[in-house]
Amino acid sequence: MRARTLALAAATALAATGLTLPLAATASAAGTATGPAKADFNGDGYEDLAVGVPSASVGGKARAGYVNVVWGGPRGLRADGNVRISQATAHVPGAPEAGDRFGAAVTVADVNGDGITDLAVGAPGEDIDGRADTGHVTVVHGGENGFGTAHTAARGVKAKDTYGNALTAADFNGDRRTDLAIGGTDKVVVNYDPRAAGLKPGMGDRMGGRAPVLSAGDFNDDGLTDLAVAFYTQQQPYTQSHVRLYRYDQQERRLLLDQSTSNGATSAFATGDFDGDGLDDLALGNCREIADENIDDPCGPEELTKGGGVHIKYGNPNGSIGVRSQTFNQDTPGVPGVAEKGDGFGEAVAARDVNGDGYTDLIVGAPGEAIGSKKSAGSVTVLYGSKKGILDADDELGDGKARGHAFQQDTDRIPGAAEAGDRFGAALATGDHDKDGTPDLAVGAPGENASSGGVWAVPGALPPGTTTLTPKSLKLPASSTALTYGTVLGR
């Protein structure tokens, strides 16, 4: 039960490779440390939303998957005219097959440098030449008349490589072209050299078969975008977990390990400048200790991991990110709610300056949050950045106090009602969908309506004006499996 109402108030985990990426873009269009990519797929100035629906049937093929693109406009995200992109779409390589899971990961970047955002889509269940679950990544190009040509950005090599189970885009080598970091089984590969014809020797590690967590930012303050990778395994013969930062080495021409934290795992990353000092900070959502090897507090004080804690590593002028850090959960002063086991506070995180004060703000999803007696109904919390970061130690605010608001489906002016298993806040994405200069928030609730799912479009990350996008309102076709719409939101 809630005690008070929520209200306003990844030296070896990386396989560095050179897959072929035929077309490229400037770094700023890839959504690097300076801010997330602008997801405007038709160049009309309104940011759009890409929703991966990997569980969807396509042409009778269960879990073939597609990406549903919802267009922004003067009234924000709108159901009218939304489009589905799958391997049955013209120009998209391949064909829909059962279990492809096209849309399991989605990221956005201007890959061909034409000023219009493109869509990178992972299909980790793709079979290639009879090899099961090899995986495949496709780039679909945006254009003024909608989506057009597409090309293959990566193909797995052997069965169960599952390339495309995670994606992020940035310019890692400083050539002002978009690079693509691609998750796979027990590895991350990077497509950073458009001239390369195949894989190069790299590093690998066991990740327990899970998709790694990826993010990008200039974490060592050297002017190049770095890659953050997190993974964990709890299988015999050992248990391990790591959060690792990789930098591009100009002599080696590949990403090399720069910093590693062991025993701490995280469910999600968000990169932003939460204290406004011009340096990139990295937020680890639902950070917790996995392997106890007498290394104390890899995610901050243990008591602040109850119900899910968020650990922020702040940038440092000497490149040693994390010298200063902050950790908080729902028991931290100023954070709405109460920390309870299973809340999953931080299972999804996003970063954007939603209040326009020049500091990046942090949006935190807690899909396991119980609302009254309704287990896993879910909630979202918006915490404002400040000169001291998310926890402001200025005297007028008190030492280590947060500022922000929270909402859920029982909050006034949020459509719907909180129900057990909705998992509101399981995925988050931001974008100025109505072009009013204020970023808006998209919140996924994949358990809504018996796991049909839905997305809540929240203008300015505040409840007034919130609307819902559901498979029914979007007129999506029936599927033999539950859509769980809102599980994957493109970022």
Side-chain angles (χ1 to χ4, degrees):
M1 297 281 292
R2 303 292 290 157
R4 62 181 185 266
T5 303
L6 290 171
L8 291 177
T12 60
L14 187 68
T17 68
L19 301 171
T20 300
L21 185 57
L23 301 171
T26 62
S28 61
T32 63
T34 56
K38 185 176 181 179
D40 180 7
F41 304 115
N42 58 1
D44 64 356
Y46 297 95
E47 292 195 61
D48 312 309
L49 180 67
V51 183
V53 196
S55 295
S57 299
V58 178
K61 308 294 185 181
R63 296 185 175 88
Y66 58 73
V67 177
N68 180 224
V69 174
V70 183
W71 305 110
R75 293 176 296 170
L77 295 175
R78 61 190 190 275
D80 293 346
N82 71 91
V83 298
R84 298 188 305 279
I85 300 170
S86 74
Q87 289 181 294
T89 302
H91 307 299
V92 174
E97 299 169 309
D100 281 348
R101 301 187 65 243
F102 185 90
V106 178
T107 196
V108 301
D110 180 5
V111 175
N112 58 0
D114 64 354
I116 299 178
T117 312
D118 308 311
L119 193 62
V121 184
E126 177 83 14
D127 298 346
I128 298 176
D129 298 332
R131 301 186 295 273
D133 299 336
T134 303
H136 186 274
V137 177
T138 302
V139 172
V140 186
H141 298 286
E144 292 182 358
N145 296 316
F147 292 95
T149 60
H151 72 268
T152 296
R155 289 162 56 99
V157 178
K158 61 184 184 300
K160 300 189 183 303
D161 270 350
T162 64
Y163 280 19
N165 64 15
L167 295 170
T168 196
D171 175 14
F172 298 116
N173 60 1
D175 65 355
R176 300 187 61 80
R177 296 174 181 268
T178 297
D179 310 317
L180 197 60
I182 301 162
T185 302
D186 296 339
K187 68 178 68 176
V188 174
V189 296
V190 180
N191 183 335
Y192 58 83
D193 185 353
R195 300 164 297 178
L199 302 177
K200 292 183 179 180
M203 297 169 287
D205 207 344
R206 290 165 285 186
M207 296 183 182
R210 300 176 180 87
V213 181
L214 305 176
S215 189
D218 184 4
F219 303 122
N220 59 6
D221 195 31
D222 66 351
L224 293 177
T225 304
D226 311 310
L227 178 66
V229 182
F231 67 93
Y232 72 95
T233 177
Q234 290 180 295
Q235 62 193 30
Q236 295 297 326
Y238 64 93
T239 297
Q240 69 171 6
S241 56
H242 299 282
V243 175
R244 291 174 169 171
L245 305 181
Y246 292 86
R247 60 174 177 81
Y248 186 83
D249 186 277
Q250 299 286 5
Q251 291 184 329
E252 293 282 342
R253 294 187 178 182
R254 59 190 176 99
L255 288 162
L256 298 179
L257 181 64
D258 192 52
Q259 183 176 325
S260 179
T261 301
S262 299
N263 300 327
T266 185
S267 296
F269 282 137
T271 299
D273 183 7
F274 303 112
D275 56 3
D277 64 355
L279 301 172
D280 284 332
D281 312 315
L282 182 64
L284 285 64
N286 193 16
C287 192
R288 68 272 187 203
E289 186 172 342
I290 294 292
D292 185 2
E293 297 178 2
N294 298 317
I295 298 176
D296 294 333
D297 303 330
C299 296
E302 186 175 355
E303 62 270 21
L304 293 179
T305 64
K306 180 182 179 181
V310 176
H311 183 66
I312 300 180
K313 296 175 177 288
Y314 285 93
N316 187 284
N318 67 11
S320 300
I321 188 171
V323 171
R324 184 173 78 91
S325 64
Q326 293 178 341
T327 306
F328 52 89
N329 66 358
Q330 288 180 291
D331 281 346
T332 299
V335 178
V338 173
E340 299 165 309
K341 185 178 179 179
D343 284 348
F345 185 74
E347 282 193 23
V349 288
R352 195 86 174 233
D353 180 6
V354 297
N355 62 357
D357 65 355
Y359 298 100
T360 304
D361 307 312
L362 183 67
I363 304 102
V364 185
E369 182 82 54
I371 306 300
S373 62
K374 303 159 189 173
K375 295 181 179 180
S376 297
S379 68
V380 171
T381 301
V382 179
L383 299 173
Y384 298 118
S386 69
K387 185 177 181 180
K388 299 295 183 179
I390 297 301
L391 300 184
D392 196 316
D394 288 347
D395 292 338
E396 66 268 27
L397 296 174
D399 186 27
K401 186 175 181 179
R403 296 176 298 125
H405 63 270
F407 54 89
Q408 32 85 4
Q409 287 190 76
D410 279 351
T411 299
D412 184 37
R413 292 182 285 186
I414 294 289
E419 299 170 305
D422 280 350
R423 293 186 55 78
F424 184 83
L428 303 168
T430 61
D432 188 0
H433 303 126
D434 55 7
K435 204 169 64 172
D436 67 351
T438 300
D440 308 309
L441 177 64
V443 180
E448 178 77 12
N449 294 333
S451 295
S452 176
V455 170
W456 273 247
V458 188
L462 290 166
T466 298
T467 58
T468 57
L469 300 164
T470 65
K472 182 178 180 179
S473 69
L474 294 161
K475 299 180 181 179
L476 301 181
S479 174
S480 62
T481 52
L483 291 179
T484 59
Y485 191 89
T487 300
V488 181
L489 301 182
R491 298 171 58 184

